[in-house]
C-alpha cells in the first residue's frame, strides 16, 4: 500500500518540521491544523502531543483505499486489542485498532496508540493466540513510547533531522516496495550518524517490545507459546525467500538469534495455558478472506473456497464457512442464497451456544437485501432492531440497524435511535454523518448543518465546521434550544480558530487561509 504509508509518512514529516520555529512559509500548509509540539530540541514529545500526532496521521490514513473501515472487523480487532490492553501496564491509555486491506503479513504501531493490522496477518495466523501475540507486541511499542523516546534521544538535532528520523522509522516499518527509497530519502535529508543511532535504537525497541508483549500475552490468558511459534514460522519462511520478497513482518520487525533465543527461554519458563479460538476469530477470518480482494472475481473465489469446504467437510469451523459463504454471496448480489447461508451459520452457533453480533447482522442484512415486499423489509428491519437489543454495545449491529432504517426512508426512527443508543460514541465523525443524512432527508436544515459541523470538527477541519454552523444559524428552522446550541458551539469554535491563528503568528508562521491567499 504505497500511497497509504507515503501519506502517513509525509504527515509525520510535516508535523515534525512544524515543531521548531522556522522561517515563515517554510512549513508545508497542505495539512491544516497540525498540533504544535513546541521546542522539540529541549522538550520530549508528551503523551498528549503524541496522541494528537497519531490523530493527525489517522485523518490521512482513513482517506486511503487500503484502509478497511469494516465495522465487523473493527469491532473484533478492538475487542481483542482491549483484552490485551486490560492486562498491560498501558491499561490507562487510549488505543484504536484498525484493519488494512493488504495480503502481506504485517502490523504496525503509530504514535498515540493507533495500531494497524493487515488482513494478511489475520488470515496467516494459525490460532487466535498467534494473532494476539503480534498485537501484544505492537501494544508494547506504544506502551513503551518508542517513537517519543526516539525523539528524546535526538535532543541535539535540528527540526529537519528529527523529521527525517521519524520518516525513516516509519518507512523502515512499511511493507511497500518503495519503503527503501523513502528511507534513503530520509537519510539524505537528515544526518547519517543520527540515522545509525536510530536504527540501533529500533533494534533495541524490538527486543523490548518482545519482552513486554510476551508478558501482556500471558497475563491476558492467551497461549504464551504462540509468540515463539509465530516468529519461528516466519523465520522458517525467510529461508525460502530472498531479501526482497521475505514476509513483510520480517522486513519491518527483523528477527535476530538473540530475539528468538530470548522468546524460547521465556516460553520454557512460563506456565503453559491453552486457549481455544473464539467464534469471532473464525468469523472475522472468513470475512477477511472475502474482503481482502474487493473484485467480483475475488468474491467468486471466496464462494468456491467456502462451498468446497462445506461440501468436502474440511472446514475448521462449519459456522465460519457458512458465514463466509453468506458474505461472498452478498458481494455477488445473490441475497436469497446469502440469507440461507447466514441462517445456517446462526443455527450452528446457537447449537453451540455461541451468539455473535456478526451473525445477527448478516442475517438481517441478507434478509433485507432479499426482501421484495414492504412486509419482508419490515421483518428484516425488526431482525436488525432485535440484534441491537441483544447486543446494545455492539457498534456493527447499531450501524446495520441505522443503515436499514435509512435505506427504508425511516429517518425519524433513525434519528431517535441515534440519540439514545450507546454503541456509537459522540467522539466519532460517523455518528454525526449518519445524523446529518437523516436530518437532510427530513428537511431539517439547521440540524443537518449542525451535525455536519461536528463531523468536520472531529475530522480536524475546524474552519469548515465554523462555516457549517454559520449555515445552520442562517437556516434557523429549529427550536430555541437547538439554535442556542448552534450559537454556543459557533462561539466556541470561532474562539479556537482565533487562538490557533494567534499561536501561528507568534511562531512566525502564516495562518492557513493567509497562506492560501498568498499562493
Amino acid at each position: 500500500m504505497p500511497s497509504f504509508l507515503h501519506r502517513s509518512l509525509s504527515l509525520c514529516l510535516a508535523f515534525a518540521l512544524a515543531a521548531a520555529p522556522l522561517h515563515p512559509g517554510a512549513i508545508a500548509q497542505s495539512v491544516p491544523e497540525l498540533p504544535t509540539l513546541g521546542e522539540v530540541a529541549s522538550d520530549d514529545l508528551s503523551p498528549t502531543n503524541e496522541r494528537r500526532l497519531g490523530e493527525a496521521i489517522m485523518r490521512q490514513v482513513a482517506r486511503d483505499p487500503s484502509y478497511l473501515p469494516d465495522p465487523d472487523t473493527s469491532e473484533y480487532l478492538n475487542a481483542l486489542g482491549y483484552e490485551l490492553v486490560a492486562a498491560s501496564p498501558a491499561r490507562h491509555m487510549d488505543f484504536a485498532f484498525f484493519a488494512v486491506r493488504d495480503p502481506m503479513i504485517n502490523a504496525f504501531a503509530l504514535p498515540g496508540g493507533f495500531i494497524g493490522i493487515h488482513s494478511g496477518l489475520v488470515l496467516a495466523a494459525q490460532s487466535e493466540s498467534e494473532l494476539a501475540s503480534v498485537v501484544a507486541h505492537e501494544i508494547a511499542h506504544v506502551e513503551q513510547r518508542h517513537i517519543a523516546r526516539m525523539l528524546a534521544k535526538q535532543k541535539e538535532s535540528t527540526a529537519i533531522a528529527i523529521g527525517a528520523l521519524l520518516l525513516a522509522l516509519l518507512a523502515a516499518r512499511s511493507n511497500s516496495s518503495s519503503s527503501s527509497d523513502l528511507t534513503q530519502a530520509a537519510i539524505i535529508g537528515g544526518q547519517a550518524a543520527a540515522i545509525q543511532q536510530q536504527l540501533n535504537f529500533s533494534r533495541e525497541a524490538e527486543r523490548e517490545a518482545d519482552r513486554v508483549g510476551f508478558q501482556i500475552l500471558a497475563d491476558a490468558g492467551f497461549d504464551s507459546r504462540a509468540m515463539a511459534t509465530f516468529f519461528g514460522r516466519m523465520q522458517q519462511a525467510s529461508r525460502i525467500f530472498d531479501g526482497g520478497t521475505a514476509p513483510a513482518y520480517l522486513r519491518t520487525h527483523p528477527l535476530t538469534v538473540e530475539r528468538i533465543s530470548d522468546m524460547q527461554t521465556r516460553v520454557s519458563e512460563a506456565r503453559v495455558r491453552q486457549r481455544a479460538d473464539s467464534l469471532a476469530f473464525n468469523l472475522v477470518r472468513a470475512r477477511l478472506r472475502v474482503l481482502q480482494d474487493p473484485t467480483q472475481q475475488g468474491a467468486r473465489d471466496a464462494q468456491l473456497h467456502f462451498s468446497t469446504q462445506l461440501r468436502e467437510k474440511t472446514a475448521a469451523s462449519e459456522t465460519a464457512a457458512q458465514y463466509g459463504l453468506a458474505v461472498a454471496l452478498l458481494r455477488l448480489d445473490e441475497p436469497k442464497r446469502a440469507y440461507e447461508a447466514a441462517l445456517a451459520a446462526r443455527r450452528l452457533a446457537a447449537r453451540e451456544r455461541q451468539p455473535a453480533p456478526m451473525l445477527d447482522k448478516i442475517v438481517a442484512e441478507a434478509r433485507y437485501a432479499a426482501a421484495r415486499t414492504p412486509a419482508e423489509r419490515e421483518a428484516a428491519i425488526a431482525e436488525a432492531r432485535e440484534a441491537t437489543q441483544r447486543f446494545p454495545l455492539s457498534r456493527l449491529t447499531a450501524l446495520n440497524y441505522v443503515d436499514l432504517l435509512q435505506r427504508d426512508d425511516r429517518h425519524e426512527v433513525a434519528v431517535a435511535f441515534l440519540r439514545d443508543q450507546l454503541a456509537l460514541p459522540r467522539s466519532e465523525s460517523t455518528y454525526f454523518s449518519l445524523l446529518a443524512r437523516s436530518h437532510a432527508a427530513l428537511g431539517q436544515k439547521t440540524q443537518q448543518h449542525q451535525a455536519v459541523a461536528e463531523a468536520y470538527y472531529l475530522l480536524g477541519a475546524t474552519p469548515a465546521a465554523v462555516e457549517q454552523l454559520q449555515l445552520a444559524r442562517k437556516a434557523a428552522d429549529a427550536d430555541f434550544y437547538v439554535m442556542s446550541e448552534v450559537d454556543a458551539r459557533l462561539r466556541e469554535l470561532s474562539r479556537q480558530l482565533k487562538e490557533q491563528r494567534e499561536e501561528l503568528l507568534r511562531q512566525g508562521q502564516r495562518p492557513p487561509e493567509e497562506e492560501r491567499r498568498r499562493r
Side-chain angles (χ1 to χ4, degrees):
M1 51 180 183
S3 60
F4 172 89
L5 285 161
H6 184 268
R7 291 176 187 174
S8 298
L9 297 176
S10 299
L11 183 55
C12 287
L13 181 57
F15 188 100
L17 291 175
L22 301 179
H23 186 274
I27 297 176
Q29 298 291 339
S30 59
V31 182
E33 300 185 55
L34 286 176
T36 301
L37 291 180
E39 184 58 53
V40 178
S42 59
D43 296 322
D44 296 348
L45 180 61
S46 71
T48 299
N49 282 330
E50 186 179 0
R51 179 70 180 188
R52 293 171 68 193
L53 168 56
E55 290 171 350
I57 295 173
M58 283 304 299
R59 285 195 287 271
Q60 300 297 313
V61 165
R63 300 173 188 172
D64 193 274
S66 298
Y67 177 71
L68 185 59
D70 177 56
D72 305 65
T73 305
S74 177
E75 185 158 298
Y76 169 75
L77 292 179
N78 278 276
L80 174 68
Y82 267 97
E83 186 175 357
L84 293 163
V85 169
S88 78
R91 63 179 63 90
H92 63 284
M93 299 176 64
D94 289 330
F95 282 81
F97 302 85
F98 62 95
V100 177
R101 183 189 282 112
D102 194 306
M104 302 298 287
I105 303 171
N106 212 352
F108 55 92
L110 296 175
F114 297 93
I115 294 178
I117 300 166
H118 287 207
S119 55
L121 171 63
V122 180
L123 293 173
Q126 294 184 0
S127 70
E128 191 168 27
S129 290
E130 285 194 1
L131 175 61
S133 74
V134 178
V135 177
H137 179 97
E138 299 304 329
I139 290 171
H141 276 305
V142 176
E143 190 268 326
Q144 295 297 306
R145 303 195 65 231
H146 284 149
I147 293 178
R149 287 165 58 189
M150 177 272 292
L151 291 175
K153 290 173 71 72
Q154 301 299 328
K155 286 184 177 181
E156 298 78 15
S157 301
T158 65
I160 293 178
I162 292 174
L165 288 171
L166 187 53
L167 179 63
L169 173 65
L170 294 181
R173 294 174 62 80
S174 83
N175 75 315
S176 72
S177 59
S178 61
S179 63
S180 60
D181 296 334
L182 290 172
T183 307
Q184 184 62 30
I187 293 174
I188 294 173
Q191 300 173 1
I195 292 293
Q196 184 58 51
Q197 182 180 356
Q198 173 50 36
L199 290 176
N200 293 336
F201 176 75
S202 181
R203 285 193 288 269
E204 176 57 35
E206 289 299 317
R207 289 192 291 270
E208 187 173 42
D210 286 343
R211 293 192 294 271
V212 175
F214 182 90
Q215 193 61 50
I216 292 172
L217 186 71
D219 290 347
F222 288 91
D223 187 342
S224 56
R225 298 169 298 180
M227 183 176 285
T229 301
F230 177 80
F231 285 170
R233 198 163 67 250
M234 292 298 98
Q235 186 184 48
Q236 183 68 27
S238 69
R239 298 171 182 171
I240 304 174
F241 302 98
D242 59 37
T245 59
Y249 195 83
L250 295 185
R251 299 202 301 271
T252 61
H253 303 72
L255 288 171
T256 62
V257 174
E258 290 80 9
R259 285 184 66 194
I260 293 290
S261 176
D262 182 59
M263 280 183 285
Q264 290 173 341
T265 300
R266 290 178 182 277
V267 167
S268 66
E269 297 173 350
R271 182 168 65 89
V272 174
R273 180 182 298 172
Q274 294 184 335
R275 172 163 168 155
D277 295 339
S278 69
L279 174 62
F281 171 69
N282 289 316
L283 293 178
V284 85
R285 277 166 51 85
R287 185 174 187 84
L288 287 176
R289 180 175 286 277
V290 181
L291 300 186
Q292 184 166 258
D293 184 346
T295 66
Q296 286 292 98
Q297 184 58 50
R300 284 191 288 270
D301 291 343
Q303 177 197 0
L304 177 61
H305 170 80
F306 292 119
S307 297
T308 301
Q309 281 192 338
L310 291 168
R311 184 176 62 254
E312 298 179 357
K313 300 185 183 304
T314 58
S317 167
E318 185 181 354
T319 304
Q322 289 283 8
Y323 172 78
L325 180 61
V327 176
L329 289 169
L330 269 182
R331 291 284 303 277
L332 293 171
D333 197 23
E334 297 187 41
K336 186 176 180 180
R337 292 179 60 198
Y339 179 51
E340 293 171 355
L343 282 176
R346 192 168 67 174
R347 281 195 296 268
L348 288 166
R351 190 183 305 164
E352 299 295 329
R353 297 184 180 180
Q354 293 182 306
M358 276 189 279
L359 296 178
D360 279 1
K361 177 208 168 184
I362 199 165
V363 167
E365 186 180 15
R367 188 172 187 176
Y368 187 89
R372 292 294 178 265
T373 67
E376 290 175 342
R377 289 195 294 272
E378 170 59 34
I381 291 173
E383 187 102 52
R385 181 176 62 251
E386 290 167 6
T388 66
Q389 295 166 352
R390 279 192 292 272
F391 304 101
L393 299 181
S394 171
R395 186 175 183 273
L396 68 93
T397 57
L399 286 173
N400 186 53
Y401 180 48
V402 173
D403 177 58
L404 297 189
L405 287 172
Q406 292 182 334
R407 286 163 62 181
D408 214 51
D409 290 327
R410 303 187 189 189
H411 293 283
E412 290 184 354
V413 180
V415 169
F417 174 77
L418 285 167
R419 298 289 188 190
D420 295 336
Q421 57 78 46
L422 302 174
L424 302 176
R426 273 63 170 172
S427 58
E428 287 188 6
S429 63
T430 300
Y431 171 80
F432 292 101
S433 297
L434 292 170
L435 267 182
R437 179 180 175 184
S438 284
H439 282 309
L442 294 169
Q444 299 167 342
K445 297 297 183 184
T446 294
Q447 290 163 292
Q448 173 195 348
H449 291 302
Q450 182 187 29
V452 172
E454 295 302 328
Y456 276 139
Y457 178 74
L458 290 170
L459 291 172
T462 305
V466 168
E467 291 176 4
Q468 287 295 319
L469 290 170
Q470 290 169 342
L471 291 172
R473 176 190 273 177
K474 289 179 182 178
D477 62 353
D479 60 29
F480 169 79
Y481 298 102
V482 173
M483 297 308 301
S484 297
E485 290 177 355
V486 170
D487 287 341
R489 190 62 166 155
L490 181 57
R491 287 193 298 271
E492 180 184 1
L493 296 192
S494 296
R495 177 183 54 80
Q496 287 185 20
L497 277 181
K498 181 181 177 182
E499 291 175 353
Q500 289 169 5
R501 281 193 287 266
E502 291 174 350
E503 179 63 25
L504 286 172
L505 290 173
R506 279 196 297 271
Q507 294 180 4
Q509 304 172 34
R510 290 187 180 90
E513 62 273 15
E514 292 184 15
E515 182 66 20
R516 286 193 292 269
R517 284 196 297 269
R518 187 181 70 85
R519 291 177 179 176

